[in-house]
């Protein structure tokens, strides 16, 4: 797995299209997922069971069973297992945050609160699973809110 963030050096040079690699871009952030643990200075796991607002039936956990770094790759693993956790992630949690139980667990990592970019090019390489009911996603969201 690999995630790179580049910023444009000369906006006039790259106005309407992404240039060939290196042409007018400077790498400002990357993760090659080296080592055997998630780099917590780059990523924050989400812990919630709320379903993302679209009735997903999993709890996102911060457990090694769901989030692992192995041999230069990040693994976000879905598992069929009953799990109870916080109903919502911290930024939208109620007080108190109720506990929900779901029939699946999964992993979700975010740069929220750690990194944000106004302009740039984001590249990501991933191998996604196939199968009915699986919805892998790589989201690019605004710093403080969902696009509206």
């Amino acid at each position: 797995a690999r995630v790179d963030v580049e910023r444009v050096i000369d906006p006039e040079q790259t106005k309407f299209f992404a240039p060939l690699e290196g042409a007018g871009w400077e790498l400002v952030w990357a993760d090659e997922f080296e080592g055997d643990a998630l780099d917590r200075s780059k990523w924050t796991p989400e812990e919630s069971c709320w379903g993302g607002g679209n009735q997903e039936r999993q709890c996102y956990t911060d457990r090694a069973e769901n989030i692992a770094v192995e041999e230069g790759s990040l693994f976000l693993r879905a598992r069929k297992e009953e799990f109870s956790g916080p109903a919502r992630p911290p930024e939208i949690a109620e007080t108190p945050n109720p506990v929900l139980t779901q029939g699946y667990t999964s992993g979700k990592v975010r740069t929220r609160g750690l990194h944000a970019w106004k302009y740039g090019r984001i590249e990501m390489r991933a191998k996604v699973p196939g199968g009915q009911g699986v919805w892998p996603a790589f989201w690019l969201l605004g710093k403080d809110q969902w696009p509206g």
Side-chain angles (χ1 to χ4, degrees):
R2 174 189 173 114
V3 178
D4 292 335
V5 176
E6 298 178 352
R7 72 174 175 83
V8 67
I9 296 169
D10 179 3
E12 292 303 313
Q13 181 183 2
T14 57
K15 229 175 188 168
F16 300 107
F17 60 92
L20 298 174
E21 186 172 319
W25 294 86
E26 173 189 10
L27 181 65
V28 295
W29 187 90
D31 196 346
E32 297 290 337
F33 300 103
E34 298 169 335
D36 60 3
L38 187 69
D39 184 341
R40 304 278 173 141
S41 71
K42 295 181 178 179
W43 303 101
T44 301
E46 180 177 314
E47 296 181 88
S48 75
C49 298
W50 78 297
N54 45 6
Q55 288 74 49
E56 297 169 17
R57 297 186 301 169
Q58 86 270 329
C59 289
Y60 292 120
T61 80
D62 186 7
R63 303 180 308 151
E65 294 93 327
N66 299 113
I67 301 172
V69 174
E70 302 168 3
E71 299 179 13
S73 293
L74 169 66
F75 290 87
L76 303 175
R77 295 184 171 112
R79 298 168 50 99
K80 185 175 181 174
E81 61 181 333
E82 193 168 282
F83 189 88
S84 297
R88 293 183 174 258
E91 67 273 6
I92 59 169
E94 300 170 5
T95 305
N97 197 358
V99 172
L100 288 180
T101 300
Q102 300 282 13
Y104 298 87
T105 60
S106 185
K108 179 179 182 178
V109 295
R110 312 181 301 173
T111 60
R112 184 185 184 105
L114 299 173
H115 309 284
W117 302 274
K118 186 170 184 178
Y119 299 108
R121 178 174 75 185
I122 310 291
E123 292 185 12
M124 176 252 197
R125 187 185 78 217
K127 181 178 178 182
V128 296
Q132 184 175 357
V134 178
W135 186 27
F138 180 76
W139 292 80
L140 299 176
L141 301 175
K143 179 181 172 193
D144 298 316
Q145 63 189 17
W146 284 82

